[in-house]
Each structure stands twice: as structure tokens, then as C-alpha cells.
Amino acid sequence: MARLRTVHRCRECGAGSAQWSGRCPGCGDWNTLVEEVEGPSPRRAAAAGVAGGDRPVLVADVEMAEWRARPTGIGELDRVLGGGLVPGSATLVGGEPGIGKSTLLLQAAAAMAAAGARCLLVSAEESKQQVRLRAERLGALEAGLWLVSQTSLGGIVAAVDEVKPDVLVVDSIQTVFDPEIGSAPGSVVQVRECAHQLVGLAKQRGLATVLVGHVTKDGALAGPRVLEHVVDTVLSFEGERHHSLRLLRAAKHRFGPAGELGLFEMAGGGLVGVPDPGALFLGDRRPGVPGSVVVPAMEGQRPLLVEVQALVTRNEAPNPRRSAQGLDAGRVSLVLAVLGERAGVPLSRYDVYASAVGGVRIVEPAADLAVALALASAATGRPLPSDLVACGEIGLAGELRRVGHAERRLSEAARLGFRRAVVAASAPDGPAGLEVVKLASLDEALRLVGLAGPSQK
Ligand code: TYD
Ligand code: MG
């Protein structure tokens, strides 16, 4: 008879403790411990009975034919996956509720079915009718696309046995449960064990498996971190609720580069890939307005030209407002301090608003110079040339520092029609058609664009 015991397990990090406490001893989060009943896991018990299983071979002799990635047919998803879904692999797609995970995977499954794959969609949250309605809306009623509305692990395995799919999508892993495990559906133990077993099934049957996972408000995958270790690939699907832009990132990828970025727009007919985001971020730009400059930012391996805007308004109160949208608040504070102390642009008596436009988040220090120029432009009321891009990290001494991928950033700026780039002194030369101005300090940059000197405000 298996022994059951009660533990208090953290919903965030998965740490267990015998006693309940308000704060998790593992990650320090508050009110995350839930009581669970644990026995020996069925999977582990089964594994213990298997002796050996695999024999050593030479690496060069390993058979690869069955492990070629299968394109999903969704260009931006394939870009992030480095080609497609690998048979026998497990991919976790995380994102906030409502961001478009079910839409993305239904579109991908339909496209793969259209290309001849057998795809099984396990809907553990929505009814079959809801999924069909969405499929109609997306034009995704494909012949090879199977659907089962199932939450029990055994039911899912039975459906896989019946359909014998090439691709399995489970939406979502948090709602799948195994009655053999004592804990409640959605608990850490359930999610972890069910994921383990589905990943085992994927490997055993050569199934390309995709698990959908919800994330909490601060972006962590709900459930233990251990879920991320179980799968081969972790994709995160992000976006601002009020924008149609969606970003897909590979946070972990065993079959290709991590950090790749895919871009989509959520439209009436589902997600539409954005292979060339140039116009997307700069489309509504108004030239000649003070407080605006474009930064050639990098998202993963991909250059994105994004407008940084700033607005300053006088406020004599002791604690003026600092607002940073789509930018790193800490870096904006640093830039404000350097502007005041090293470049003669004190903003301590102003409310400051700085933002990256278009629903994208730029947290890399390469945006420092653009933030500084936008702030100085807003403070002086003088607009910056509209064909200018600025890129560089700012040090505490007011010096400009070189950033990575400079060539790719500058090429993209030139491709989109920008004529001048302000960069750090040690940066490389730019492509033809782009005048690259290399400067040592923020002070020099302000002088170059005519923003040094007395304020007009
Ligand atoms: P969904 O894929 O259900 O999100 P998730 O699975 O991540 O919870 O998408 C939900 C949102 O997407 C919903 O607010 C409606 C919107 N949407 C569109 O704008 N167009 C569409 O074609 C579809 C299917 C959804
Ligand atoms: Mg969903």
C-alpha cells in the first residue's frame, strides 16, 4: 500500500514544506502554499521497474530521419521554433489568459493538418462547440484536424491511441488531471505529473506535443518551475492587452536558438504574422514633435525600430511623477540622473513621462541614449530631426557605451530610410546611405542635435 502524506507546496516555485506558513520558504512569495496529498508518483513507480531500456551507440550513428522539424506553416512560429515542431518533442506555450494561445495553436494545427499531418487538439478548457466556432471564424476546418474535449489524462492517452496523431496540442496543461494522483486538479503535483506523463508519451510515440500553460500576472508560468525543465522548448506569448501586437519568444529551446522573436497582430480573422515590422512601429509617427526619437532596438536576433517618446511638465511638488511605459523604469531614472548631473538638463522639478510606442517593451540599455535625447528634446521644446536614430548605453559618468549587434541595428535603420545615426565612439561603421556619428558622451550628443543650452520651456 502506497503511503500518502500531506505537504504544503508553493504554487509558484514548487517548494514543499511540512508546515503551513504564510510565506514560501523557497521563493519568499506570500500566500502561495497550498495543502496537497502526495504518494509515490505512478510514473516513477513504473520507471523503476524498467531495467536498462536504451543501449549506447556512437553519436555519429544516431538515426536522425524521424527527428526533422515539421514546419507548422505559420511563418512567425516557425521562425521562433527554428523550422518547426520536432517529432517526439514537447513544447510549452505560456501566456496570460486571453492573449491568443488557443488561437495560435488552432491556426498552427489547422495549417499542419492542411499540409497532411494528423493533428489532435485536446480541449481541456473549452467545449467542442466553442472550438468549432473559433475554427470556423479562422477558416480552420481541416480534414486532418481532430478534436477531443477531455480533462483526464487517461482519456487523453485513449484519444491518442484512437487518432494516432502526428501532432498533439493540449490546451491547457493546468486543467488536465490524473485521478490516480491524490491532489486536486490544477495543483502543482497534478500539473507536474501530468506534464511528465504527456512528455513521456510524446517521446514514446514520436508525437510533436504542445502544452498550453497559463502564466500569472508577473509572467511566471503558473505551477512549478519544474514544468519548464520537463519540456524541450518554452515559448512565451506576450502583448499588451490594449494593443493588437503579440510577441512570441523562445525562452528555452533544445533544437535551435533561444531568444528568437516572432511578431503577430491579432485581427478579426485570427493572428496574422508580421514578417516586416518596420511600418508597424513607425506608421503613426508625427515628425516635428519635440520629445520623440527612434531607437534601433534588438529583440532576440531581430532588429526593431521603435519610437521613444517623452513628455515633461512642470511640477514643484517634492516628489514629481516618473512614468515609464514599455521602458525599464530603473534605466529611465538613471538617464534622468545623468541628464541632470552630467549634461546640464535637470528635470527634478518636472513630471516625466517616457514611453516606447506600439505595445513593445524595450528594456535593453541600448535605448538609454534615445530616452535621454527624447527627454532633453521634450524639456527644451525643440524637436529632433525625424530621419535620426539614436542607440547607445549611457554610463554614470555620462559616457556613451557601445551596444551589441550594432551592424544589424544600423542596417535596419538604413533599410527603413533613416539618414543619420548617433552612436557610441567605439561603434562600427554603418551601411551606405546612413551617416553614423560616433560620440563619446551624452553631452556631445545633445550638442550635436542642438539640445544643449538654455531651455525654451
Ligand atoms: P484566445 O486564443 O482564446 O486566448 P488564450 O487561449 O490565450 O486565452 O484569444 C482570446 C482573444 O483573442 C479574445 O479576446 C478574442 C481575440 N480574438 C480575435 O481578436 N480574433 C480572432 O480571430 C480570435 C479567434 C480571437
Ligand atoms: Mg485558451
Side-chain angles (χ1 to χ4, degrees), residues 101-102 125-126 134 171 214:
K101 301 178 296 295
S102 303
E125 283 181 4
E126 294 167 308
R134 189 189 283 120
D171 187 0
H214 294 296

Side-chain angles (χ1 to χ4, degrees), residues 95-104 125-126 134 137-138 171 212 214 237 246 266-271:
E96 283 180 24
I99 208 73
K101 301 178 296 295
S102 303
T103 306
L104 175 69
E125 283 181 4
E126 294 167 308
R134 189 189 283 120
R137 183 168 167 188
L138 299 172
D171 187 0
V212 174
H214 294 296
F237 203 34
R246 298 287 179 270
M266 181 61 95
L271 290 157

Side-chain angles (χ1 to χ4, degrees), residues 187-424:
S187 64
V188 176
V189 180
Q190 281 284 1
V191 171
R192 190 181 52 196
E193 284 306 321
C194 290
H196 256 300
Q197 297 197 37
L198 287 169
V199 171
L201 188 75
K203 300 251 180 299
Q204 209 180 44
R205 315 264 174 108
L207 274 174
T209 297
V210 182
L211 307 176
V212 174
H214 294 296
V215 298
T216 53
K217 55 187 181 312
D218 53 3
L221 274 160
R225 278 281 140 72
V226 80
L227 209 54
E228 301 186 8
H229 300 301
V230 175
V231 296
D232 301 299
T233 302
V234 178
L235 305 183
S236 69
F237 203 34
E238 300 161 15
E240 293 266 339
R241 207 161 263 279
H242 307 293
H243 281 276
S244 60
L245 182 72
R246 298 287 179 270
L247 297 92
L248 185 69
R249 282 197 183 83
K252 161 185 173 178
H253 196 21
R254 283 189 179 145
F255 307 108
E260 259 310 338
L261 175 79
L263 288 171
F264 296 91
E265 267 192 296
M266 181 61 95
L271 290 157
V272 182
V274 184
D276 184 0
L280 185 72
F281 291 114
L282 303 174
D284 296 328
R285 197 165 173 232
R286 280 178 64 207
V289 178
S292 158
V293 68
V294 170
V295 55
M298 289 299 287
E299 274 284 0
Q301 303 296 312
R302 198 164 181 180
L304 288 185
L305 270 78
V306 179
E307 181 183 358
V308 171
Q309 291 185 335
L311 186 66
V312 302
T313 57
R314 192 130 185 114
N315 182 355
E316 300 292 342
N319 287 311
R321 207 185 148 95
R322 268 85 184 91
S323 156
Q325 294 264 331
L327 295 166
D328 184 69
R331 297 230 57 100
V332 172
S333 298
L334 183 148
V335 168
L336 281 168
V338 176
L339 270 172
E341 297 300 316
R342 309 277 185 209
V345 187
L347 290 169
S348 54
R349 301 202 159 182
Y350 289 88
D351 283 342
V352 168
Y353 302 86
S355 77
V357 180
V360 65
R361 247 186 93 68
I362 305 179
V363 292
E364 53 166 356
D368 289 355
L369 180 57
V371 171
L373 293 183
L375 283 167
S377 164
T380 56
R382 297 178 205 145
L384 291 156
S386 62
D387 62 354
L388 176 95
V389 293
C391 175
E393 178 179 345
I394 294 177
L396 290 179
E399 81 278 19
L400 285 186
R401 296 177 162 271
R402 179 182 174 155
V403 296
H405 303 289
E407 285 96 349
R408 296 179 73 172
R409 297 174 197 261
L410 296 176
S411 305
E412 181 71 358
R415 188 181 75 81
L416 291 173
F418 288 88
R419 294 265 158 269
R420 248 207 309 181
V422 185
V423 295

